[in-house]
Amino acid sequence: MPMPLKRTLAAAAVAASIAAAPLVSARLDSDEPLQSYRQSYFAIVAMNFGPIADMVKGDIPWDLEMLQGWADDLETVTELDLLRGFAPGSEKGMTRAKPAIWENMDDFEAKLADLREAAEALDEAAEGGDRAAIAEAVKATGGACKACHDEYKAKDYLY
């Protein structure tokens, strides 16, 4: 990749991170810390998985080194204990988390485990550098996200 294009992409990534920072920090609400915790977690997941998917789709130029960094960060963030953000009573407030999470916690935990496994496989595929393997891992990771969203994420805030 030509150096000016690489610098432009790196600058765009930094600009996107800076632009998103107020959105994430603005959601750190001391009245609803558990909702803030899980919303921040999912924002970080999206900021790492989104560009990977865009690269695989050809929406942004392919840069294996950048993709590997995002995949590594995605795998790392999925290892955080998200479940502490879903303590009893945190289903109310500024949230898109459907009450079904608390009614089906075992299934929800299983779906989170699927996401962790998919993110780990994506990180391994990225390390290998094979575009076809990366594309398959992106598909699996997106499927893990969708499985949870379909059942447990409302399109709009519930409360």
Side-chain angles (χ1 to χ4, degrees):
M1 175 179 297
M3 188 55 73
L5 180 57
K6 199 173 217 177
R7 286 188 183 142
T8 300
L9 286 174
V14 169
S17 298
I18 290 169
L23 298 174
V24 173
S25 64
R27 190 55 209 128
L28 297 177
D29 184 343
S30 61
D31 292 332
E32 297 180 335
L34 297 180
Q35 293 85 341
S36 294
Y37 174 76
R38 59 188 188 238
Q39 290 170 10
S40 297
Y41 170 95
F42 288 120
I44 294 169
V45 167
M47 291 297 292
N48 285 284
F49 183 65
I52 295 171
D54 288 345
M55 229 179 248
V56 167
K57 291 186 288 186
D59 292 344
I60 62 175
W62 185 265
D63 183 325
L64 182 59
E65 186 176 329
M66 289 178 74
L67 187 145
Q68 288 169 331
W70 287 319
D72 185 53
D73 289 348
L74 177 65
E75 192 273 332
T76 299
V77 77
T78 60
E79 292 300 321
L80 292 173
D81 182 9
L82 178 60
L83 290 176
R84 69 181 171 189
F86 289 91
S90 67
E91 66 273 15
K92 300 288 185 195
M94 190 75 157
T95 184
R96 286 192 243 175
K98 291 181 179 178
I101 291 172
W102 290 266
E103 297 162 7
N104 303 299
M105 191 56 76
D106 289 342
D107 182 60
F108 183 69
E109 288 182 47
K111 285 180 173 32
L112 282 175
D114 292 345
L115 174 61
R116 283 186 195 104
E117 289 175 20
E120 184 177 351
L122 175 55
D123 189 35
E124 289 172 11
E127 287 175 19
D130 180 86
R131 286 176 87 152
I134 293 168
E136 282 301 311
V138 165
K139 183 178 176 182
T141 304
C145 291
K146 184 177 180 338
C148 202
H149 288 194
D150 286 349
E151 283 191 55
Y152 298 121
K153 181 182 177 187
K155 291 183 184 196
D156 298 311
Y157 286 100
L158 298 173
Y159 304 99

